[in-house]
Amino acid sequence: MTTSAATSSATPRAVLETRGVSRTFGVVRALRDVSLTLRAGEVHGLVGENGAGKSTLIKVLTGFHQPDTGALTLDGKSVTFDSPRGAQNAGVCAVYQEINLIPERSVADNIFLCHEPKRFGVLVDRKRMLERAAEIVQRYRLSVDPAARLGSLGLGAQQMVSLARGVSLGARVLILDEPTSALSSAEVDVLFDVVDRLRAEGIALLFVSHRLSECYRLCDRFTVMRDGAVVRTGTPEELPRAALIAAMLGRESSGEHAWTERSGSADTADAAPALAVDRLQWGNRVRDVSLKVARKEIVGLAGLLGSGRTETFKTIFGAQKADAGDVDIAGRALTHATPARSIARGLAFLSEDRRSEGIFPRLSVGENIVASLLPRISRFGFISRAKEAQVVREAIERLGIKTAGPNALITTLSGGNQQKALIARCLSTQPTVLLLDDPTRGIDVGAKEEVHRVVQELARDGLAVVVTSSEMEELLALTDRLVVLNEGATQGGMPTAGANPDDVLAVLAGDANDSRDVSATRDVGATRNPAGADKA
Amino acid sequence: MAINLETNEERLSPSTPPQAPQSPRSPQSTNPGGGGAWRTVLREHSVYFALAALVVFNLIVTPGFSNPFAARSLLFEAAPIVLIALGQNLAIATRGIDLSVGSVMALASASVAVFLPYGIGPALVGSVAVGALVGLWNGFLVAVLAIDPLISGLALLVAARGLAQALLGGSRVNLPDAPAFDLLGAGTVGPVPIIMLIALALAAVVAFVVRRTTFGRYAILVGASRGAAFLAGIPVRRTLFLVYAVSGTLAGLAGLFASSRLGASDPNYVGVNFELDAIAASVIGGTPLSGGRISIVGAVFGVLLLQVLDASFIMNNISFTYAQILKAVFIVVALYLQRSGA
Amino acid sequence: MANVTSSNADPTAAPAANRRAQLIALVQSRGAIAMLVVVALIAGGVFPDFLRPSNLADIVSNSAFLGLVAVGQSLVIILGGFDLSVGSMVGLGTVIAAYAAPYGWGAAMLAPVAAGFVIGIGNGLLIARARMAPFIVTLAALLGLKGLALVLASQDLLIANPGFFTRIANGSIFGISNLIWVLVVVYGLGAVLLNHTRFGAAIFAIGGNEEAARMLGVRVERVKVLAYGLSGALAGLSGALLASHLDSGLSAAGTGYELQSIAAAVIGGVLLTGGVGTMAGPLAGVLLLGVIDNVINQVGTLSPYYQNLASGAFLLAAVIVQTVLTGRRGAARAGGGKAARRSAAAPARS
Amino acid sequence: ASAYAQDSGAQKVQSNSNETCTIAKPGGKKLSDMVVGFSQSENEQNPFRATETASVRAAAKAAGVKRLLYTNANANQAKQVADIESMINQGAEALIVAPNDSTGLQPAFAQARAKGIPVVTIDRQTAGTVCDDFITFLGSDFYKQGERAAKALADATGGKAVIAEIQGGYGNTVESQRTDGFANGLKAYPNMKIAAAQTANWSTTEAQKVMEQILLAHPDVNAVYTHADTMTVGAITALRQAGKLKGVTIVSIDGTKEIVNGIAQGTVAADVETNPRFGPLAFKSLEDYLAGKPVPQKQIMDDALFDKTNAKQSLAAGKVY
Ligand SMILES: Nc1ncnc2c1ncn2[C@@H]1O[C@H](COP(=O)(O)OP(=O)(O)OP(=O)(O)O)[C@@H](O)[C@H]1O
Ligand SMILES: Nc1ncnc2c1ncn2[C@@H]1O[C@H](COP(=O)(O)OP(=O)(O)OP(=O)(O)O)[C@@H](O)[C@H]1O
Ligand SMILES: [Mg+2]
Ligand SMILES: [Mg+2]
């Protein structure tokens, strides 16, 4: 693993600094007196709980928000960025937490938006743009077609495009806000490779992640934020894992990897499994999926980026109409599935795309939580206020959602708390089968623990759970067994007890080698041997 | 898979960044300072203040405005617009729009004459039913065929008026003297027209439906995020279908009211440009065009505001040309004040 | 739109899905043109006079006024907005041209364009800076500009010294009406602007995702203001040409153009949700509307009420065909059905 | 010339201009082998327009033309130009045009002239060179109508009144001439004052609302002048609802059945006729022209004034429409 080899001796030059930055939104003090220094050739890790103010700080650095007080200096000179454009022109670029690209435009268009190569001074040189995009895409081993519509790519691929853009802009300061949250481990390796190279080129990097192992793998220095303020800074040596977590949470924690081991108490003896999927097909993305989940069992759906996990969930759930195959819930066939019918039959689904398929912006936390439950808390179409309030209150309590109250707008919550509200929505219908697509995406250590606790409790209470995660370790710790998905087809499974990530990758790699998909092979190759992949 | 749907669809409305909601419900959005608080109140209730100010202005300046008949006459004009504003509000809450309402009024008005030979009862019921039919068709286009409501409404706006005119050969047909038409057209309780009472009662029903029923909540959820609503198991299509059907039905009723008031079926002039008034009233009343929120009381007051505005121009004998400019300026300023300071 | 396959793409990757996606994209962008050809051929079969070159030329040249407006309207719709003020702006444009005509043809041409640009900028500022809804801002402008036109010209204004100005719209070069030349040039420039300039890329970006565009460094406000300015200027130009064509300033001219231009854009495959569109599509849409009017005239006996009914029905039919063919239907269910399949069918990774 | 079905409501010409137009070389073409085009300007929502079109259609049949083409510009000037061009493309050899506006038909006239197509303009005057652009104009004098309305109102009120004027749609010559003519007519009567003048866009519905609100602001109004019968209908409804129908004197323009009926019943004082039956005279003018006879450049109609002296007879004789 690459670490801060060249940087420990002399302190490198400071590039971008903030001094005493504060920012409030109404009564929320998102940032208080934050000072931060980004140095050339250094990866600076920014960690903190959900809602600690990381994304807000980044938006201040890139000119999206103006600080209420405090100042920015770039190369020792005081600067103000009045827009992301201004920051971009000064060489400060960001890959934002929520992917912010244009789905209807091509990959190349997205990479070169606002700095397109030109012809005759005014016209965009499309040919050169595509060529250069192809170059960049190849250099960073992104397996995407530069002419493809961005929206046709998976979230992970879009994240990589976002990164490619930052690089192509020739940024001197590159900010990555949870860039890995949508990536599979193979993709993460490619990303880290890129980051290492950029560091070597003397670029100042800011890295935000809730995956502490990644932070330790990559960062030269940490800043820990809590409640909008900087509480600690230091090198990885000065801040070992336990200290870091304590600083983040403001208390001791059981530790990031203290996943409770599963006891393996699945009701496999049951006559009918809680969920049985047989040879499910949908277009060319879900080609042949079969799986069985018993009550009290937690099954992980493992696969590389774009292997069809999301599509599998959506097809089971009836959000898209299956072309072939059967879904049985507790032995009874689920026909003509639609989300409403599936929910009525005891399914619940959490989308990975919180922003466009999860939250109802403009509505309150409470209204968000009860959205799926309305038929059950109403009589003759009239909603019972009392029941609604009770459900919301219990949900907020049970999941520990940090909100000013049930009537606060969902958009004022931090990402992690929004996610918890959505999990609460899934649970509100008292499902028997839970389909969770990357439920811990972008949520902090503490919240993750809580989500795990909740999921495991639910399983203990008799639910069947199918879950994906872009973090292999998490998946192994959380689940009883894995079902491996490759190119839209299930390829058997493996129990998780005692397994480690490399075992899973081996399974994936083996399968991938059989198929003709070169990219999958290459990705896995990259995981195991970055150096070798470089030559490929 | 489209990401960032929410910003993508901010288009109909002020493009507030999603992270900076300016909702009355958000405790964060109220300014902590005491000075800002009353300004926020003023902004959020601007339609009431504006109406009050305009009424006071008219009472002082405009001859004849204090005459109780002035209020009566205003309310007669406003009643049909209140009805179509109700439907419009529902459509807007789902992040849609219903441009067909004015023409549907005309079609309903023509239907009164068409059904008259079968009796007064059939004429009353028939006209509203025709409105409902157009609404159902619009709902079908929007919900099942997924045509953009702006376009389906536009096509119906043109076609429904054509049909109305074709039904009566383009001419206006006088209605016979019948107690039912007299009651609707001239009946009052105190100074308040019966049709206004009916419109207000329906407004109360719609407000209740929006607040307390699943259908109302569905409409708002569908408007707030179509994608999330679908995955949350909300019957998106049924909701959209119903919303436009309700809007059409209310427009049919509005057409009946207008005909009774005129004492005639008039396919040419009933409801002309009323859709625009209804939309403007909704927006002024606090229902943003970007959906996910609704304010029925605000819309009713928005309608009254625009009516009083029109009346103050006519009663002060301000030439139509200048009146139009002033009305435009008024709308822009009213909405600007609602936005700024946030 | 350029759909260049790069060297990176694997030609063997999911060819069937690819073809389907391309087909859909084709229908989206070229469907209106195909529809135009089909309708024209049918009309030609039924009404022998329809296909006369002089008739076709008249249809095109008479479509120029709406056509210019539709260019601006399309830009604004792709950007994610509307411009309801264009119809009134055309009327005001004719009036301004009539006032300016005594100062020469240059003034008569330029003054309406400049006025339209300034008014469009005003709309743009209210929409982009003050963040007001485009629908309401331009609706108010529709009322206000109509009032202004009436104040300036409560009667029809006959252009005092016709001369060269009135020959601009009524003359021809190489036997082709000047109006057709203008139409072709403006659409050509519009296509270049949209597809081959940064401004065009920014318009697509803002319409696709405004927030993202801002974060990616697009000067959202400036682009929006400019786009509305362009829309106003094109409406002004349309008004100037109309004044030249009709020899007069008519405050009522252009009434209804706002909705017709939106209809033309939508028939031409511009998505009302923004971010998607071409220039050729709206042009075909405008011509289609012109053809419909002409066909109704050819029928000759249709009463005007049925004309309304017919054009409403036609608009609907065109949009339904578009929707069904492109499989956009699933969009109502967002995240499910055909819409998702459409994205899945896009070129696979190689 | 009596080949056309005559009815008692047929137009009578009051004054012919002395100047005439004559065809350069009569080609001996007959109406019976010609395609004739009729360009109507506005929607037939108004009885005036409907009667006008019906009259042209009937006269075309009577003249035995090969085919009558018909277009309607829906009040859109640019569309009227396109309409006329499309009729020329369909082989129209003679045109009857009801101009939408007082200007703006130049390009259409130019095309007709280039093809040697004679054009008859009816009801509204429009700019153009007589004999080149069109051979004749048939119609009423709107300014004079306004003056006659003023006089009729003065006669009915004894020269003393507070008047509400309900105007037609703005931006239209008919409206402005009826406004100006009325104002000029009132000059002779110092005690007649216009208290309010508002547009109702030719609409019954709007007229009702406008009248209602004028009455509130000006309770002293005791006379009403409206530019068209369609709007008079709305004004009457408003007056009736306000209980003021008895005390208010109404003068209108057009001569529709409904309003002349009102005169007979005593609700309306007078109605200045605008006769829309242009068909027979228009075809006669074409016929004469083609035959090489001189056609007067202007043929102004002898509009009747309906009042209580002649209302019943006119109704019985079917003079009104
Ligand atoms: N536009 C806004 N309006 C109101 N509150 C806001 C806004 N933006 C952020 N906040 C609040 O500021 C705080 C900091 O949020 P921020 O998004 O910076 O957290 P974060 O550290 O990035 O969290 P996460 O790890 O969940 O992404 C949160 O309480 C959030 O609710
Ligand atoms: N190779 C690809 N070609 C086309 N679309 C793809 C491809 N990979 C991913 N996608 C799109 O990405 C979205 C999510 O992909 P999918 O469900 O296949 O992957 P996943 O295993 O859930 O990956 P992720 O970690 O991104 O969620 C889908 O909408 C899918 O259409
Ligand atoms: Mg964040
Ligand atoms: Mg996924």
Side-chain angles (χ1 to χ4, degrees):
Chain A
M1 271 330 91
T2 339
T3 40
S4 44
T7 54
S8 43
S9 50
T11 320
R13 183 172 52 88
V15 183
L16 185 65
E17 282 182 281
T18 68
R19 285 284 160 265
V21 164
S22 298
R23 168 80 206 209
T24 55
F25 296 104
V27 294
V28 177
R29 298 189 62 190
L31 295 177
R32 338 176 183 199
D33 198 21
V34 172
S35 299
L36 180 83
T37 306
L38 302 185
R39 297 174 193 283
E42 199 178 83
V43 179
H44 195 116
L46 184 62
V47 295
E49 277 185 291
N50 289 130
K54 305 180 295 292
S55 297
T56 307
L57 177 61
I58 287 169
K59 286 179 180 166
V60 167
L61 291 179
T62 57
F64 189 82
H65 289 320
Q66 311 321 316
D68 299 332
T69 60
L72 262 61
T73 54
L74 186 66
D75 294 326
K77 282 192 275 301
S78 149
V79 285
T80 48
F81 298 138
D82 53 356
S83 67
R85 183 188 183 82
Q88 203 166 290
N89 288 345
V92 180
C93 290
V95 175
Y96 294 97
Q97 177 173 11
E98 311 283 353
I99 296 165
N100 269 295
L101 294 172
I102 321 293
E104 289 292 349
R105 301 299 280 166
S106 74
V107 169
D109 282 328
N110 272 288
I111 292 179
F112 287 103
L113 185 64
C114 282
H115 62 113
E116 295 91 349
K118 284 195 181 173
R119 230 169 1 144
F120 314 126
V122 282
L123 298 185
V124 171
D125 190 343
R126 294 210 150 262
K127 192 156 154 274
R128 203 144 61 87
M129 194 166 102
L130 279 167
E131 282 166 11
R132 280 182 43 194
E135 252 169 56
I136 293 171
V137 159
Q138 224 137 39
R139 175 143 47 103
Y140 297 107
R141 295 196 307 277
L142 314 179
S143 31
V144 295
D145 173 1
R149 208 173 57 92
L150 183 94
S152 70
L153 306 178
L155 288 179
Q158 295 189 19
Q159 191 75 272
M160 295 301 278
V161 170
S162 195
L163 182 74
R165 175 186 165 81
V167 173
S168 76
L169 275 167
R172 294 160 54 224
V173 179
L174 193 58
I175 299 169
L176 309 173
D177 192 359
E178 297 194 37
T180 55
S181 63
L183 302 190
S184 71
S185 43
E187 241 82 0
V188 168
D189 282 300
V190 177
L191 176 82
F192 282 15
D193 220 36
V194 174
V195 170
D196 278 335
R197 234 183 290 172
L198 294 173
R199 165 168 38 207
E201 287 169 18
I203 288 172
L205 290 128
L206 182 67
F207 181 81
V208 180
S209 176
H210 288 294
R211 300 176 182 175
L212 295 189
S213 55
E214 287 176 357
C215 294
Y216 280 97
R217 205 169 127 196
L218 208 59
C219 299
D220 305 302
R221 194 181 299 272
F222 286 125
T223 291
V224 184
M225 288 184 71
R226 191 169 73 232
D227 292 337
V230 173
V231 287
R232 284 291 292 275
T233 46
T235 61
E237 291 76 35
E238 293 161 9
L239 276 171
R241 215 174 258 261
L244 192 74
I245 292 173
M248 279 167 62
L249 302 182
R251 61 183 155 87
E252 294 301 319
S253 145
S254 45
E256 189 198 2
H257 280 291
W259 315 120
T260 348
E261 273 296 318
R262 290 282 297 143
S263 48
S265 57
D267 261 353
T268 33
D270 263 14
L275 172 73
V277 177
D278 191 34
R279 282 177 307 218
L280 199 64
Q281 276 180 36
W282 182 80
N284 61 346
R285 307 278 305 129
V286 179
R287 296 184 309 162
D288 180 15
V289 170
S290 301
L291 58 96
K292 282 196 173 66
V293 190
R295 294 177 63 230
K296 301 193 176 183
E297 192 180 25
I298 304 179
V299 171
L301 203 55
L304 294 175
L305 184 74
S307 55
R309 293 165 295 185
T310 299
E311 314 291 22
T312 298
F313 276 150
K314 284 193 170 173
T315 313
I316 295 174
F317 190 59
Q320 51 201 27
K321 201 171 159 294
D323 295 325
D326 305 308
V327 174
D328 289 0
I329 298 172
R332 258 179 68 208
L334 177 68
T335 50
H336 306 293
T338 61
R341 289 172 64 97
S342 303
I343 290 171
R345 289 287 304 279
L347 273 179
F349 169 59
L350 180 76
S351 168
E352 66 177 349
D353 192 348
R354 184 166 66 225
R355 226 169 135 178
S356 65
E357 298 184 342
I359 60 165
F360 294 103
R362 287 213 168 152
L363 296 193
S364 69
V365 176
E367 285 163 325
N368 266 279
I369 289 175
V370 298
S372 293
L373 195 65
L374 292 171
R376 295 191 211 175
I377 53 167
S378 58
R379 206 188 278 176
F380 310 121
F382 297 105
I383 300 170
S384 156
R385 282 285 171 89
K387 279 190 202 153
E388 179 178 1
Q390 185 194 347
V391 169
V392 171
R393 194 163 11 90
E394 284 173 7
I396 290 177
E397 217 164 276
R398 176 171 183 191
L399 293 170
I401 300 170
K402 266 188 234 155
T403 164
N407 293 329
L409 283 190
I410 187 94
T411 40
T412 60
L413 267 56
S414 78
N417 281 304
Q418 290 181 10
Q419 188 74 348
K420 285 194 219 165
L422 295 184
I423 294 177
R425 182 195 298 164
C426 285
L427 298 182
S428 69
T429 57
Q430 292 163 336
T432 53
V433 179
L434 259 182
L435 308 175
L436 303 174
D437 196 2
D438 214 351
T440 54
R441 177 166 171 233
I443 68 177
D444 66 41
V445 187
K448 233 180 235 181
E449 274 176 23
E450 285 170 58
V451 169
H452 290 168
R453 181 178 50 75
V454 170
V455 169
Q456 299 193 335
E457 262 174 36
L458 290 167
R460 201 181 317 126
D461 295 347
L463 258 72
V465 182
V466 189
V467 62
T468 66
S469 169
S470 34
E471 232 178 327
M472 194 57 75
E473 288 158 3
E474 177 188 17
L475 208 54
L476 285 173
L478 182 63
T479 61
D480 300 314
R481 77 189 154 85
L482 294 183
V483 170
V484 175
L485 201 62
N486 186 19
E487 294 205 314
T490 37
Q491 311 221 321
M494 58 185 290
T496 50
N500 66 37
D502 283 342
D503 297 340
V504 186
L505 285 172
V507 173
L508 281 174
D511 292 332
N513 277 332
D514 289 344
S515 84
R516 273 173 296 148
D517 185 344
V518 273
S519 74
T521 322
R522 197 170 56 193
D523 284 353
V524 173
T527 313
R528 284 153 147 197
N529 184 0
D534 254 349
K535 283 173 219 144
Chain B
M1 182 190 316
I3 53 166
N4 280 346
L5 264 178
E6 75 193 58
T7 44
N8 204 353
E9 295 182 4
E10 282 282 309
R11 55 194 312 270
L12 278 165
S13 76
S15 35
T16 1
Q19 284 88 0
Q22 303 155 356
S23 160
R25 275 192 271 179
S26 142
Q28 278 86 353
S29 73
T30 36
N31 265 331
W38 69 265
R39 221 190 290 150
T40 312
V41 170
L42 201 66
R43 197 173 60 240
E44 274 154 19
H45 303 283
S46 56
V47 61
Y48 313 112
F49 292 111
L51 181 61
L54 199 59
V55 167
V56 169
F57 169 84
N58 275 312
L59 286 175
I60 296 168
V61 171
T62 309
F65 193 83
S66 52
N67 187 334
F69 283 105
R72 213 191 72 152
S73 138
L74 255 164
L75 295 177
F76 263 117
E77 297 295 335
I81 308 185
V82 166
L83 287 183
I84 56 172
L86 295 180
Q88 192 67 259
N89 252 321
L90 284 175
I92 293 175
T94 64
R95 193 178 263 164
I97 203 153
D98 189 352
L99 289 183
S100 72
V101 286
S103 294
V104 171
M105 278 179 71
L107 185 58
S109 175
S111 307
V112 175
V114 169
F115 286 113
L116 255 181
Y118 309 99
I120 301 288
L124 297 182
V125 176
S127 60
V128 179
V130 166
L133 270 180
V134 179
L136 286 171
W137 170 239
N138 197 8
F140 171 77
L141 293 174
V142 173
V144 180
L145 295 187
I147 309 268
D148 193 296
L150 190 80
I151 287 298
S152 71
L154 181 57
L156 288 176
L157 172 113
V158 179
R161 187 164 298 275
L163 186 59
Q165 290 167 333
L167 280 178
L168 297 191
S171 58
R172 184 183 142 105
V173 175
N174 283 334
L175 300 181
D177 278 332
F181 294 134
D182 287 347
L183 207 63
L184 294 178
T188 56
V189 174
V192 185
I194 288 176
I195 53 172
M196 192 61 186
L197 289 177
I198 299 177
L200 289 178
L202 286 172
V205 170
V206 172
F208 179 81
V209 162
V210 165
R211 249 177 244 185
R212 298 295 299 275
T213 69
T214 47
F215 167 66
R217 186 71 68 83
Y218 287 162
I220 293 171
L221 291 171
V222 167
S225 168
R226 190 72 52 92
F230 176 65
L231 286 181
I234 285 157
V236 175
R237 290 183 187 201
R238 200 203 317 153
T239 304
L240 287 175
F241 190 69
L242 263 176
V243 160
Y244 287 94
V246 167
S247 177
T249 310
L250 288 171
L253 190 60
L256 173 65
F257 284 4
S259 308
S260 309
R261 176 79 183 137
L262 291 172
S265 283
D266 186 347
N268 307 308
Y269 291 115
V270 164
V272 173
N273 288 343
F274 276 27
E275 60 282 345
L276 298 182
D277 269 357
I279 294 167
S282 301
V283 176
I284 290 177
T287 300
L289 284 172
S290 50
R293 244 205 285 156
I294 189 167
S295 166
I296 295 293
V297 183
V300 171
F301 278 84
V303 171
L304 292 178
L305 181 64
L306 291 181
Q307 286 300 310
V308 174
L309 193 65
D310 277 348
S312 26
F313 294 140
I314 295 176
M315 294 178 75
N316 286 305
N317 199 26
I318 294 174
S319 158
F320 171 74
T321 53
Y322 294 101
Q324 248 186 331
I325 299 175
L326 289 176
K327 185 172 175 179
V329 171
F330 181 90
I331 292 178
V332 168
V333 170
L335 288 169
Y336 182 80
L337 292 181
Q338 251 179 42
R339 297 289 156 211
S340 65
Chain C
M1 260 169 298
N3 239 334
V4 196
T5 18
S6 90
S7 52
N8 200 29
D10 180 356
T12 59
N18 242 332
R19 229 171 288 136
R20 196 190 138 75
Q22 277 166 5
L23 192 75
I24 286 171
L26 204 68
V27 171
Q28 177 80 40
S29 61
R30 303 275 179 265
I33 299 172
M35 220 181 317
L36 176 63
V37 172
V38 170
V39 171
L41 287 179
I42 293 175
V46 180
F47 307 104
D49 293 325
F50 179 85
L51 285 181
R52 280 194 199 185
S54 62
N55 193 49
L56 295 180
D58 281 341
I59 293 177
V60 180
S61 60
N62 283 315
S63 297
F65 311 107
L66 179 61
L68 296 188
V69 170
V71 173
Q73 186 71 267
S74 301
L75 288 180
V76 173
I77 296 180
I78 294 173
L79 178 89
F82 292 107
D83 193 348
L84 296 181
S85 73
V86 284
S88 298
M89 187 57 229
V90 170
L92 183 60
T94 65
V95 171
I96 293 175
Y99 273 103
Y103 305 96
W105 66 270
M109 288 304 293
L110 279 183
V113 176
F117 188 66
V118 169
I119 288 165
I121 297 269
N123 283 338
L125 285 174
L126 285 173
I127 291 163
R129 281 278 153 75
R131 306 202 157 188
M132 294 166 65
F135 195 98
I136 291 295
V137 170
T138 58
L139 175 63
L142 172 134
L143 297 178
L145 296 181
K146 176 127 282 174
L148 192 60
L150 282 169
V151 168
L152 291 177
S154 59
Q155 300 186 27
D156 311 329
L157 297 173
L158 188 62
I159 285 175
N161 55 338
F164 183 73
F165 175 59
T166 51
R167 262 178 281 143
I168 294 177
N170 297 318
S172 61
I173 299 176
F174 306 130
I176 292 175
S177 160
N178 290 350
L179 288 173
I180 300 183
W181 289 115
V182 172
L183 190 66
V184 168
V185 167
V186 169
Y187 268 90
L189 288 178
V192 170
L193 185 75
L194 196 58
N195 296 316
H196 298 283
T197 65
R198 272 191 193 174
F199 182 68
I203 284 185
F204 277 116
I206 295 171
N209 184 343
E210 181 174 334
E211 201 60 19
R214 183 171 287 121
M215 295 218 190
L216 296 179
V218 174
R219 278 183 279 221
V220 174
E221 272 81 35
R222 187 188 292 198
V223 172
K224 273 189 168 179
V225 169
L226 208 60
Y228 280 95
L230 269 181
S231 173
L234 282 166
L237 178 62
S238 171
L241 287 173
L242 197 55
S244 156
H245 182 58
L246 299 180
D247 201 8
S248 45
L250 303 169
S251 49
T255 306
Y257 273 12
E258 55 283 343
L259 294 183
Q260 286 176 36
S261 58
I262 293 176
V266 171
I267 292 174
V270 176
L271 283 193
L272 274 174
T273 39
V276 177
T278 59
M279 273 292 136
L283 177 58
V286 167
L287 294 178
L288 254 178
L289 295 180
V291 167
I292 302 307
D293 269 355
N294 195 272
V295 166
I296 285 175
N297 285 349
Q298 304 265 349
V299 176
T301 49
L302 219 53
S303 92
Y305 334 121
Y306 290 103
Q307 292 182 18
N308 279 347
L309 204 56
S311 53
F314 182 83
L315 171 57
L316 212 55
V319 175
I320 290 176
V321 168
Q322 275 271 337
T323 317
V324 170
L325 285 185
T326 51
R328 285 248 163 215
R329 287 178 55 182
R333 313 173 19 167
K338 292 188 184 164
R341 202 169 295 221
R342 176 169 178 266
S343 46
R349 7 153 83 189
S350 52
Chain D
S2 59
Y4 312 108
Q6 286 288 351
D7 64 69
S8 54
Q11 288 179 327
K12 280 192 278 301
V13 176
Q14 182 201 38
S15 67
N16 279 337
S17 57
N18 295 328
E19 301 92 329
T20 58
C21 295
T22 318
I23 196 165
K25 39 179 183 333
K29 257 207 264 181
K30 285 239 207 59
L31 272 180
S32 53
D33 6 279
M34 286 172 74
V35 177
V36 179
F38 172 47
S39 167
Q40 178 59 286
S41 56
E42 283 182 3
N43 229 320
E44 283 155 16
Q45 54 210 359
N46 187 322
F48 180 90
R49 293 288 156 203
T51 312
E52 183 176 59
T53 301
S55 161
V56 170
R57 285 217 159 113
K61 209 174 238 166
V65 301
K66 199 161 98 193
R67 200 171 148 220
L68 180 76
L69 306 171
Y70 166 83
T71 59
N72 191 311
N74 264 316
N76 179 340
Q77 188 61 31
K79 181 168 187 302
Q80 186 161 41
V81 171
D83 283 349
I84 294 173
E85 288 175 354
S86 92
M87 290 195 291
I88 293 174
N89 284 322
Q90 288 179 68
E93 294 154 293
L95 288 167
I96 298 169
V97 175
N100 177 59
D101 256 312
S102 61
T103 62
L105 282 178
Q106 272 313 318
F109 287 151
Q111 270 211 22
R113 191 170 48 206
K115 296 232 160 101
I117 298 172
V119 178
V120 172
T121 58
I122 60 175
D123 89 51
R124 285 180 192 165
Q125 270 184 298
T126 193
T129 326
V130 202
C131 297
D132 278 348
D133 287 338
F134 48 84
I135 57 171
T136 182
F137 164 71
L138 308 171
S140 302
D141 183 337
F142 300 131
Y143 188 85
K144 204 153 161 210
Q145 288 181 333
E147 288 181 333
R148 291 178 78 189
K151 180 160 185 312
L153 194 60
D155 290 349
T157 56
K160 188 169 187 309
V162 181
I163 306 164
E165 178 176 353
I166 300 190
Q167 302 166 323
Y170 275 8
N172 178 300
T173 41
V174 183
E175 180 273 327
S176 52
Q177 289 180 11
R178 286 181 183 166
T179 302
D180 297 347
F182 186 72
N184 194 43
L186 284 189
K187 280 191 186 139
Y189 307 98
N191 290 327
M192 311 243 336
K193 292 253 148 37
I194 300 177
Q198 284 285 316
T199 181
N201 272 314
W202 310 116
S203 150
T204 311
T205 307
E206 272 187 52
Q208 185 176 338
K209 169 176 168 182
V210 167
M211 188 74 241
E212 215 169 276
Q213 289 171 348
I214 289 180
L215 285 177
L216 290 167
H218 305 278
D220 53 337
V221 160
N222 60 8
V224 172
Y225 161 53
T226 77
H227 286 192
D229 284 359
T230 47
M231 298 189 291
T232 313
V233 175
I236 290 175
T237 313
L239 285 166
R240 184 180 301 123
Q241 282 170 355
K244 293 198 163 179
L245 197 51
K246 280 261 146 23
V248 173
T249 311
I250 305 171
V251 169
S252 177
I253 296 180
D254 269 354
T256 58
K257 265 191 207 114
E258 195 170 359
I259 298 305
V260 178
N261 236 329
I263 299 177
Q265 285 159 13
T267 43
V268 179
D271 199 1
V272 181
E273 185 192 33
T274 319
N275 197 328
R277 300 180 189 84
F278 287 101
L281 274 181
F283 277 97
K284 178 165 186 312
S285 301
L286 274 178
E287 204 172 62
D288 287 353
Y289 183 76
L290 291 168
K293 293 186 200 162
V295 177
Q297 291 179 356
K298 244 187 205 173
Q299 308 177 48
I300 302 302
M301 297 306 131
D302 180 18
D303 287 329
L305 176 72
F306 301 110
D307 56 21
K308 58 179 182 293
T309 61
N310 62 4
K312 288 218 172 78
Q313 299 92 297
S314 306
L315 281 166
K319 284 184 78 168
V320 295
Y321 56 98

